[in-house]
DNA sequence: ACCTGAACACCGTTCAAGT
DNA sequence: ACCTGAACACCGTTCAAGT
C-alpha cells in the first residue's frame, strides 16, 4: 500500500484522460471483472470474453491491454501476491517479539489463502503457466519471501531460532505454512484436523510444531 | 500393486472380449491417452476430444465410459493417488526403524511429486474440481493418509515422536512435505534453496526440521 | 491510440441414429 | 451395449477496418 516508488501501480499518478470510448482505464476494469469471475466461478470460469462483457466492451478489446489470457491471469496473480506480502508485513509489524512475528506471518499466510482460495491457487498453480516470466509476479513474490527471511533473521538474532543458513530455515517454514494453506484451499482437511476449526487455529498449531523444529537444540 | 482384494483394478481379471469395435477396454485406452497428454502438455492440454483421437474413436465415444471431462480427470487423479500411496507404503516398509520410515515417506512423497508434476497438481488442484465426490479418489487418498498415520503411531510407540493426537501430528507432517512438494512442482524453488539440489535432498532437510519439531520435548 | 465485427480453429456436450 | 455424425454453444485469437 505505502510503496517504495519501485514500480507496480505505474501510470496511476497521471490523470486519466476520461474514457474516450468507455473507460479511462479499461485495464483496471478488466482486472476487476476477472477477479469477480475468479471468486464466483473458480479459475476455470475466468475467460477473456466474459471479462470483456462485464466491462462492456467487445471481445477483442482486452487484447489492447493484455497480450493473451495468461497475461491477464498473471496480473491477477501479481495482485494477489502483493496483497499477501502486505498482510504478512503488517502481521509481522504488529508483534513485538521476533518469534511472535514469525508465528503471525504463518497465520496471516494461511488466513489469506483460506479467504481467497481461488486467488491463492492462481498465485501458485498452473493456470497462469509461465507467470514467473512476468516481472510483477516475480517482484510481489520476492517481497513476500523477503518478509519471511527478515523475520527469520530477527529470530536468529534474538536467539529464538538456531543459526545456520536462513534460506534453509525459510524453506522449512514456508513449506509447512504453504502446505497447510494448500490443503485448506483444496478442501483436503474437511472432516480431519480442522473440522469445525478455522484456518487460523490450524495455522497456530502447525507453526507451533514448526517453531519447535527451528528452536536452538 | 499387490492389492488387498478391495476394489481399484476391477474388471481386470475378466478376459476382455477382444474389441468389438476397436478396443476391449476403451476406458483404459482413454485413461492412458489422457495421461500422456497430461504429461506432455500439462493439465490444460488434456481434452476429451484429443484423448478420443489418440484412442482412435469418435469424439463422442468417451461419454460411454466417463460422464464428463471431470470424471476422466478424477479417474486420473485416483490413479496418481493410488501410486503415491503405494510408494509411501513401500518406502515405509523398506526401513527398519519408525523414524526412518517417517523420513522415507516424506522423501517418497516429494520425489513422486517432482517426477510427475502435472499428475501431482491434478491430484490436489482444482482441475478436477469436485474430485472428492469420486469414491476412487477418496479411497486412494485415504490409503495414503493411513500410511502416514500408521507410521506416526509407530514413532510414538517407539518414543521417537511425542504423544498426543496423531491426527494433529499428521497435519503438521503432511503440511510440511506437501508444501515442499507444491513449491517444487510449481517451480517456486529454482534459484533458491534447492538450486542444483534435487527434490529428495530438500525433502530430507525439511523432514529433519519436522522430526525435530515432533520430537518429545 | 483504442475499439469493433467477422472469422477460424478448437472444445465440451447432446441427440438422433446406426450395428 | 457400444459407437458415429451432425449440431449447438462457447472459447482464445487474428485480421481488416473504423474513429
Amino acid at each position: 500500500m505505502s510503496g517504495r516508488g519501485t514500480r507496480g501501480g505505474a501510470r496511476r499518478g497521471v490523470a486519466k484522460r476520461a474514457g474516450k470510448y468507455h473507460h479511462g482505464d479499461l485495464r483496471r476494469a478488466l482486472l476487476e471483472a476477472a477477479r469477480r469471475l475468479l471468486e464466483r466461478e473458480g479459475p476455470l470460469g475466468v475467460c477473456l470474453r466474459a471479462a470483456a462483457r462485464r466491462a462492456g466492451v467487445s471481445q477483442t478489446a482486452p487484447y489492447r491491454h493484455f497480450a493473451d489470457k495468461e497475461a491477464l491471469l498473471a496480473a491477477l496473480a501479481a495482485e494477489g501476491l502483493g496483497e499477501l506480502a502486505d498482510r504478512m508485513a503488517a502481521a509481522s509489524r504488529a508483534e513485538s517479539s521476533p518469534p511472535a512475528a514469525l508465528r503471525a506471518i504463518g497465520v496471516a499466510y494461511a488466513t489469506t489463502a483460506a479467504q481467497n482460495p481461488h486467488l491463492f491457487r492462481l498465485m501458485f498453480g498452473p493456470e497462469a503457466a509461465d507467470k514467473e516470466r512476468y516481472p510483477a509476479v516475480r517482484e510481489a513474490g520476492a517481497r513476500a519471501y523477503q518478509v519471511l527471511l527478515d523475520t527469520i533473521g530477527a529470530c536468529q538474532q534474538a536467539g529464538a531460532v538456531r543459526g545456520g543458513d536462513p534460506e534453509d530455515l525459510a524453506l522449512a517454514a514456508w513449506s509447512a505454512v504453504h502446505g497447510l494453506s494448500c490443503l485448506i484451499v483444496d478442501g483436503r482437511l474437511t472432516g480431519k484436523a480442522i473440522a469445525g476449526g478455522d484456518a487460523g487455529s490450524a495455522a497456530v498449531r502447525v507453526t507451533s510444531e514448526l517453531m519447535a523444529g527451528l528452536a536452538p537444540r
Side-chain angles (χ1 to χ4, degrees), chain A:
Chain A
M1 276 262 173
S2 55
R4 275 223 217 79
T6 54
R7 225 188 275 174
R11 186 179 302 162
R12 267 221 294 187
V14 183
K16 37 186 172 182
R17 290 156 288 163
K20 295 189 88 162
Y21 282 79
H22 284 88
H23 305 80
D25 197 348
L26 177 56
R27 186 189 149 86
R28 172 101 260 124
L30 287 168
L31 278 173
E32 273 159 22
R35 184 143 176 186
R36 230 167 309 165
L37 284 168
L38 177 67
E39 271 156 17
R40 293 194 198 176
E41 324 255 357
L44 317 117
V46 182
C47 58
L48 242 32
R49 284 166 105 117
R53 247 173 278 147
R54 272 180 169 276
V57 293
S58 85
Q59 64 203 239
T60 54
Y63 287 90
R64 286 299 117 196
H65 299 276
F66 299 98
D68 50 23
K69 184 182 182 181
E70 192 177 310
L72 199 179
L73 293 178
L76 231 41
E79 233 179 63
L81 283 168
E83 289 168 18
L84 177 64
D86 289 341
R87 293 204 209 181
M88 288 168 65
S92 180
R93 273 194 307 267
E95 302 292 333
S96 50
S97 85
L102 187 52
R103 253 183 277 266
I105 285 177
V107 173
Y109 195 102
T111 303
T112 301
Q115 283 168 355
N116 306 53
H118 294 307
L119 184 57
F120 183 79
R121 273 199 275 243
L122 185 64
M123 283 153 54
F124 293 97
E127 287 85 7
D130 276 331
K131 51 184 143 22
E132 288 303 307
R133 272 196 196 157
Y134 299 83
V137 172
R138 271 207 305 271
E139 282 164 25
R143 192 154 65 86
Y145 184 69
Q146 196 57 46
V147 174
L148 172 62
L149 218 50
D150 289 347
T151 306
I152 285 184
C155 283
Q156 288 181 311
Q157 293 268 346
V161 160
R162 74 157 172 287
D165 186 353
E167 299 253 355
D168 271 7
L169 303 175
L171 175 62
W174 191 13
S175 289
V177 174
H178 184 70
L180 173 67
S181 302
C182 288
L183 293 175
I184 290 171
V185 154
D186 292 338
R188 286 277 150 175
L189 261 35
T190 49
K192 290 213 182 78
I194 69 158
D198 58 338
S201 77
V204 169
R205 270 181 290 154
V206 168
T207 42
S208 294
E209 317 277 9
L210 172 70
M211 295 297 291
L214 300 183
R217 44 162 197 87

